[in-house]
Amino acid sequence: MKKNILITGASGQLGQFFIDKLVEKNNVISTDINVSPRLIKKYDLKFLDALNEVKVRKFIEKYHIDEIYNFASILSAKAEKNPLKSFQLNTNCFLNVIKASISSSVKKIFWPSSIAVFSKESNLNYVQQDVIMNPTTIYGASKLACEKVINYFNINGLLDIRSIRFPGIVSSSTPGGGTTDYIVEMINNIKSKKKYICPISPNTILPMMHVNDAVDASVKLMSVPRKNININNSYNISSFETTPYEWKNLICQMGYNLEVDFQPDFRQKIADSWPRKIDDEQIRKDLNWKPKFNKIKTLKSVIEDYSLT
Ligand code: AKB
């Protein structure tokens, strides 16, 4: 039987890919505050501000929602420009979804955490599942705060909330103010034939994954019995690591002209506080999951999505 799934923040960098996947077997109610005519036509996107708890509850009741995927959030670089507003939005949107879900038809909630929860104390060369986390960005602080709430609701059996700490996500959708956005913006610049000013220094290693792998792992996490889940806060996950220098060279080796000028800005300090490599053995074991896209397959796939071939 089809589930009724509510997606908040559906027009963002991740949301649209989840709609495409979930709509295959479910009734998907896609919502956002950015409701463009294109997305209304393509996804029947509806306006919903997740900062309004009453409205969230009304959607749950009107559509008899079984599961919620909550993507309403401001990403790391953009969040630093207005820290208190960003922290309030990232945490309150999530808390409103939780409050509206209690004593409702909602059975499960998916919520994306991030590698931003980690810090220099987390052993950034190889970050394990359970480490010291003292995030130095407001985005990382908001993500860690919500992970603590997830843990509380899960260990007390109050709600079933499932979460993954996403690394940089590589897709053809427009980047949304993240620190890892260079990996998509470089591909964007192939088409525009403009020199790309990279805000991250050439040898900065960061973990990344193809958006399809992120979506598949998340949907699989939501499908398994709760007894298979051995993490009550949020799972580490990754696919590959790269640097701006390597990524630029891979693009050029594929025959594309891409001129890059490395000009690190405030995002470098953020990137320096994030992992270089992730230990994601737990999610691979619990879900029997592994990524389908390595570095080269990811790049080829996104270039094809941009119809650059
Ligand atoms: C960002 O760069 O802010 C996000 C993230 C890694 O959470 N892509």
Side-chain angles (χ1 to χ4, degrees), residues 182-190 192-203 243-252 256-264:
Y182 84 83
I183 200 152
V184 175
E185 290 169 345
M186 278 193 189
I187 301 172
N188 263 327
N189 276 55
I190 297 172
S192 66
K193 299 190 187 328
K194 290 179 188 160
K195 176 164 73 172
Y196 177 61
I197 307 299
C198 183
I200 304 295
S201 64
N203 298 318
T243 67
Y245 180 75
E246 179 186 48
W247 195 247
K248 179 245 181 190
N249 285 341
L250 288 173
I251 290 169
C252 294
Y256 297 99
N257 291 321
L258 175 67
E259 191 184 351
V260 177
D261 190 2
F262 295 100
Q263 295 181 14

Side-chain angles (χ1 to χ4, degrees), residues 42-43 97 101 103 113 127 136 149 159 171 186 222 237 242 278 292 296 306:
K42 184 174 182 184
Y43 295 125
V97 165
S101 299
S103 308
S113 186
V127 177
T136 52
V149 171
L159 282 173
S171 75
M186 278 193 189
M222 289 291 274
I237 200 169
T242 191
I278 297 281
K292 295 188 179 78
I296 300 299
Y306 268 105

Side-chain angles (χ1 to χ4, degrees), residues 81-138:
K81 298 191 185 308
N82 196 334
L84 292 180
K85 173 178 179 281
S86 303
F87 184 88
Q88 186 179 30
L89 185 144
N90 290 359
T91 52
N92 284 354
C93 283
F94 182 50
L95 292 175
N96 283 343
V97 165
I98 287 178
K99 284 188 275 184
S101 299
I102 293 170
S103 308
S104 79
S105 57
V106 174
K107 300 175 187 66
K108 295 175 201 169
I109 297 170
F110 178 81
W111 181 79
S113 186
S114 162
I115 57 171
V117 297
F118 299 119
S119 59
K120 292 188 187 304
E121 299 87 353
S122 310
N123 183 23
L124 295 178
N125 285 329
Y126 188 57
V127 177
Q128 294 180 305
Q129 181 65 45
D130 189 10
V131 290
I132 295 171
M133 300 175 225
N134 289 314
T136 52
T137 64
I138 199 70

Side-chain angles (χ1 to χ4, degrees), residues 13 75-77 113-116 139 166-169 177-181 274:
Q13 192 176 10
L75 294 181
S76 59
S113 186
S114 162
I115 57 171
Y139 174 69
F166 289 128
I169 298 295
T179 299
T180 60
D181 288 355
W274 286 5

